[in-house]
């Protein structure tokens, strides 16, 4: 994954305030489409299609809850290893979603941004992504980030290469390198770190999602397959998040 494809410039985004009891930024690992379809004797493609409906519900639920930032893990860099048929189904759904949903996103005040190696999806999909980003660029109700062909390790490696190039070119003093130096070169530069990471399907791992950014995030793992996710499940995660005490490494009791 190249530094150029990950570290695209981030235009100024609205500085939305978190609800009084948080969170400001939620990351969602959407897992379970294939198991949902298998349990119903349906083709995988219908599981992914049902997952798109859950995306709509999640975006609306986040907006209704006053969440300012929502990042969806839609397609990992590892997903390219799946069968050619499944990858084709997923990328086709992506194009359809972008074409059909952009007006709804724009009308509802949602600003869309895509992070990850978008060029791997081909020119037609890249054009649809860029059109959707431009059409929603001035919205301020919800900042929606979709991670496509994204992997956190590759993102960090790209940031490290960018730092090394700046040092080699004499633009950066190695003694001045700190966490912010790296953060500025990540795909999420300009975004707040996630306060809460939610994963569906009962699995309890990050799967290479926002590894740097999630250093102090709270985690909630829900035993629900992604196509069944709705506002009730988001509410359950928010209740769990708000009962926790976040210390950020300061104190233990």
């Amino acid at each position: 994954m190249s530094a150029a494809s990950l570290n695209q410039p981030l235009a100024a985004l609205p500085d939305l305030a978190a609800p009084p009891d948080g969170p400001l930024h939620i990351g969602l690992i959407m897992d379970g489409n294939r198991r949902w379809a298998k349990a119903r004797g349906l083709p995988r493609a219908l599981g992914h299609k049902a997952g798109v409906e859950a995306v709509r519900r999640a975006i609306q639920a986040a907006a209704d809850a006053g969440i300012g930032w929502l990042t969806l893990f839609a397609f990992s860099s590892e997903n390219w290893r799946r069968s050619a048929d499944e990858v084709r189904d997923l990328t086709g759904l992506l194009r359809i979603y972008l074409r059909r949903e952009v007006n709804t996103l724009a009308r509802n005040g949602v600003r869309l941004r895509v992070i990850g190696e978008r060029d791997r999806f081909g020119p037609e999909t890249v054009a649809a992504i860029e059109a959707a980003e431009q059409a929603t660029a001035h919205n301020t109700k919800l900042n929606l980030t979709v991670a496509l062909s994204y992997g956190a390790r590759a993102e960090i490696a790209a940031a490290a290469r960018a730092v090394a190039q700046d040092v080699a070119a004499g633009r950066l003093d190695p003694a001045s390198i700190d966490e912010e130096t790296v953060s500025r070169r990540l795909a999420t530069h300009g975004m707040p770190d996630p306060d809460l990471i939610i994963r569906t399907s009962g699995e309890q791992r990050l799967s290479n999602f926002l590894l740097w950014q999630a250093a102090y995030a709270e985690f909630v793992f829900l035993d629900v397959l992604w196509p069944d996710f709705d506002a009730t499940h988001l509410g359950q995660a928010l209740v769990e998040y708000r009962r926790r005490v976040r210390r950020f490494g300061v104190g233990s009791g």
Side-chain angles (χ1 to χ4, degrees), residues 16-17 32 35 49 68 78 104 115-116 147 165 174 187 192 224 238 240 246:
L16 299 175
R35 275 172 282 171
K49 187 175 181 181
E78 289 80 15
T104 300
I115 60 172
Q165 289 164 1
V224 57
L238 291 176
E240 173 61 22
R246 303 183 73 201

Side-chain angles (χ1 to χ4, degrees), residues 182-209:
V182 178
S183 292
R184 285 198 302 269
R185 290 162 175 82
L186 296 175
T188 55
H189 174 56
M191 296 169 55
D193 287 341
D195 304 293
L196 170 64
I197 302 285
I198 302 169
R199 181 169 185 150
T200 61
S201 85
E203 303 292 347
Q204 299 187 19
R205 56 182 178 271
L206 277 177
S207 295
N208 205 15
F209 178 58

Side-chain angles (χ1 to χ4, degrees), residues 53-75:
E53 295 300 322
V55 168
R56 295 189 180 102
R57 293 194 297 269
I59 293 170
Q60 185 62 58
D64 290 345
I67 306 302
W69 301 77
L70 178 66
T71 299
L72 305 179
F73 198 14
F75 192 95

Side-chain angles (χ1 to χ4, degrees), residues 7-247:
N7 301 326
Q8 299 185 18
L10 177 61
L13 295 176
D15 186 16
L16 299 175
D21 43 3
L24 173 60
H25 182 184
I26 294 176
L28 256 172
I29 302 174
M30 306 179 294
D31 191 18
N33 290 350
R34 295 193 293 179
R35 275 172 282 171
W36 184 91
K38 183 178 181 180
R40 290 161 176 76
L42 299 172
R44 276 189 313 242
L46 291 184
H48 293 311
K49 187 175 181 181
V52 171
E53 295 300 322
V55 168
R56 295 189 180 102
R57 293 194 297 269
I59 293 170
Q60 185 62 58
D64 290 345
I67 306 302
W69 301 77
L70 178 66
T71 299
L72 305 179
F73 198 14
F75 192 95
S76 75
S77 52
E78 289 80 15
N79 287 158
W80 292 107
R81 301 172 188 167
R82 294 185 179 182
S83 70
D85 286 345
E86 185 171 7
V87 170
R88 185 168 54 249
D89 290 341
L90 285 166
T91 54
L93 271 175
L94 171 61
R95 288 194 296 271
I96 291 170
Y97 177 84
L98 289 168
R99 287 197 299 267
R100 292 182 178 176
E101 295 298 314
V102 63
N103 289 335
T104 300
L105 295 175
R107 186 170 57 250
N108 291 335
V110 178
R111 179 171 186 170
L112 174 68
R113 179 173 179 252
V114 171
I115 60 172
E117 204 173 16
R118 65 176 68 184
D119 291 346
R120 291 192 67 177
F121 290 96
E124 182 181 354
T125 302
V126 170
I129 291 171
E130 291 175 350
E133 288 178 327
Q134 292 170 9
T136 62
H138 301 293
N139 291 340
T140 59
K141 184 174 183 180
L142 172 66
N143 286 296
L144 172 65
T145 303
V146 179
L148 294 172
S149 191
Y150 169 88
R153 286 183 172 181
E155 176 190 30
I156 295 168
R161 286 194 299 273
V163 170
Q165 289 164 1
D166 286 343
V167 169
R171 295 187 294 266
L172 181 64
D173 178 1
S176 71
I177 296 172
D178 57 13
E179 292 182 12
E180 179 58 26
T181 306
V182 178
S183 292
R184 285 198 302 269
R185 290 162 175 82
L186 296 175
T188 55
H189 174 56
M191 296 169 55
D193 287 341
D195 304 293
L196 170 64
I197 302 285
I198 302 169
R199 181 169 185 150
T200 61
S201 85
E203 303 292 347
Q204 299 187 19
R205 56 182 178 271
L206 277 177
S207 295
N208 205 15
F209 178 58
L210 299 182
L211 298 181
W212 176 282
Q213 299 87 340
Y216 285 101
E218 298 292 327
F219 299 93
V220 172
F221 302 104
L222 298 176
D223 193 17
V224 57
L225 298 177
W226 176 249
D228 292 325
F229 186 89
D230 60 19
T232 300
H233 300 106
L234 179 64
Q236 291 171 352
L238 291 176
V239 168
E240 173 61 22
Y241 170 85
R242 289 164 180 166
R243 78 171 185 82
R244 299 181 186 179
V245 178
R246 303 183 73 201
R247 299 185 179 88

